[in-house]
Structures are given as C-alpha cells and as structure tokens.
C-alpha cells in the first residue's frame, strides 16, 4: 500500500496493482507502475506529477520514502470504479 499526496495536503491511499520493467536488464531501469485509488473523487491529468509515500522502515534508516512520479495515462477507472494511474 502506498500513500498518494495530492497538492501536499489531501492524502489518498493507493494499491500497487502491477510493477514491471520495460527495459532490458543490461540498461537503465525504466518501469511502469499501475496504481488503483479506491476513491472515486480522486482526479488527475496525464503529465501531472504525483508524490508517493512508501511506508518503511527502509534500509537507509527512514520510516518512509517519498518520491515524485509523472502520470503517464489519461484519467480512467477500473471495472470496480477505482481510479487507475500509470506511472
């Protein structure tokens, strides 16, 4: 489970549905990550940045890890009505 931050003040929880590497093992790693947000009011636009907080602990000593990602897909919902985001 990851926590998404929209405009740094409204957190939403997301489920990582898929994460897989797009590039060969002997090159720089590029991945696609699919998240679902079980909150129908969550909205976004492709190209928008989103902050993701991953709970820890992590091997480098922090309780959480924060990273910005760029949204790659146009807004869409899953068959269950959850918001889907591709990073």
């Amino acid at each position: 489970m990851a926590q998404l931050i929209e405009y740094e003040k409204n957190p939403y929880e997301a489920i990582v549905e898929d994460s897989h590497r797009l590039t060969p093992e002997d090159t720089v790693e590029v991945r696609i990550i699919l998240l679902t947000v079980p909150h129908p009011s969550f909205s976004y636009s492709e190209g928008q940045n989103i902050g993701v907080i991953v709970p820890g602990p992590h091997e480098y000593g922090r309780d959480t890890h924060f990273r910005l990602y760029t949204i790659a897909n146009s807004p869409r919902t899953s068959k269950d009505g959850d918001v889907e985001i591709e990073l």
Side-chain angles (χ1 to χ4, degrees):
M1 182 77 67
Q3 185 178 48
L4 301 176
I5 300 297
E6 181 183 38
Y7 307 118
E8 297 182 21
K9 62 182 176 180
N10 298 322
Y12 290 89
E13 291 207 350
I15 299 164
V16 179
E17 297 291 343
D18 185 33
S19 175
H20 64 273
R21 187 180 182 118
L22 296 175
T23 54
E25 291 293 326
D26 61 346
T27 63
V28 174
E29 184 176 17
V30 176
R31 300 186 76 74
I32 188 161
I33 302 169
L34 175 63
L35 304 175
T36 57
V37 181
H39 203 289
S41 69
F42 183 81
S43 64
Y44 66 91
S45 299
E46 63 274 3
Q48 180 180 4
N49 289 327
I50 192 164
V52 176
I53 299 172
V54 179
H58 296 277
E59 60 188 67
Y60 42 83
R62 298 207 175 151
D63 291 334
T64 61
H65 178 68
F66 176 79
R67 186 166 179 182
L68 289 172
Y69 292 90
T70 300
I71 297 173
N73 66 307
S74 298
R76 70 175 188 232
T77 56
S78 70
K79 62 182 177 186
D80 298 328
D82 296 335
V83 177
E84 292 185 333
I85 302 172
E86 286 184 14
L87 309 174

